[in-house]
Amino acid sequence: MSHNESGSVSPPHVSAQDVLPVNSESETLDEVFRALADHRRRCVCHYLARREEGLNVAELAELVAASMSEKTRAVLTSAEIEKTKAELQQLHLPNLTEAGIVEHDDEAGVVKLAGSTEVREFLEAAEALDFG
């Protein structure tokens, strides 16, 4: 290994041109990718992307429960809907909110997709993969 001009140690075959500068915003991108790695959270986002005004958490839970169980909303049990609603409120919505993907108004019980253009582009790419 050799010392370069700044005093750091690097292998002789690595030049300054080989080192990619990493933008500090990439940590935010990591959060977004971690949040969207779960298919239930992507499902939430796909539903929200179709509604500018957002969705009530209860209705969102019903839609997600139907998608995850591959049943129509009419045949879902109240237990399936309540289980999905609890998962959304305790796990998925906080994760998506923390990553800046959704905005969740707890008092009103409404969730909507955040206005990020980049996130919408990621969701469009995910939609092509998720739904073919």
Side-chain angles (χ1 to χ4, degrees), residues 43 47-48 51 55-69 71 73 76 81 84 88:
C43 184
Y47 281 119
L48 295 175
R51 305 267 183 100
L55 281 167
N56 178 284
V57 174
E59 183 178 0
L60 183 59
E62 194 173 322
L63 290 165
V64 172
S67 291
M68 294 301 109
S69 65
K71 296 179 181 179
R73 292 169 72 179
L76 285 173
I81 296 168
T84 302
L88 287 175

Side-chain angles (χ1 to χ4, degrees), residues 19-99:
V19 178
L20 296 174
V22 178
N23 186 331
S24 63
E25 294 295 316
S26 68
E27 287 183 27
T28 303
L29 184 60
D30 291 345
E31 281 184 52
V32 169
F33 283 145
R34 274 192 295 276
L36 294 178
D38 185 280
H39 67 282
R40 290 167 295 232
R41 289 192 285 268
R42 286 193 311 278
C43 184
V44 165
C45 293
H46 292 313
Y47 281 119
L48 295 175
R50 296 177 178 154
R51 305 267 183 100
E52 284 299 318
E53 69 280 357
L55 281 167
N56 178 284
V57 174
E59 183 178 0
L60 183 59
E62 194 173 322
L63 290 165
V64 172
S67 291
M68 294 301 109
S69 65
E70 296 181 358
K71 296 179 181 179
T72 64
R73 292 169 72 179
V75 298
L76 285 173
T77 66
S78 59
E80 289 172 309
I81 296 168
E82 286 305 311
K83 179 179 184 263
T84 302
K85 184 177 177 183
E87 289 172 351
L88 287 175
Q89 291 176 316
Q90 296 169 11
L91 177 66
H92 301 302
L93 294 178
N95 192 299
L96 290 166
T97 301
E98 187 176 313

Side-chain angles (χ1 to χ4, degrees), residues 77-128:
T77 66
S78 59
E80 289 172 309
I81 296 168
E82 286 305 311
K83 179 179 184 263
T84 302
K85 184 177 177 183
E87 289 172 351
L88 287 175
Q89 291 176 316
Q90 296 169 11
L91 177 66
H92 301 302
L93 294 178
N95 192 299
L96 290 166
T97 301
E98 187 176 313
I101 298 170
V102 303
E103 296 172 0
H104 180 203
D105 182 343
D106 237 355
E107 281 186 33
V110 175
V111 182
K112 66 180 185 177
L113 204 56
S116 169
T117 304
E118 294 83 6
V119 168
R120 288 185 184 271
E121 290 173 2
F122 295 146
L123 288 173
E124 287 175 16
E127 187 171 357

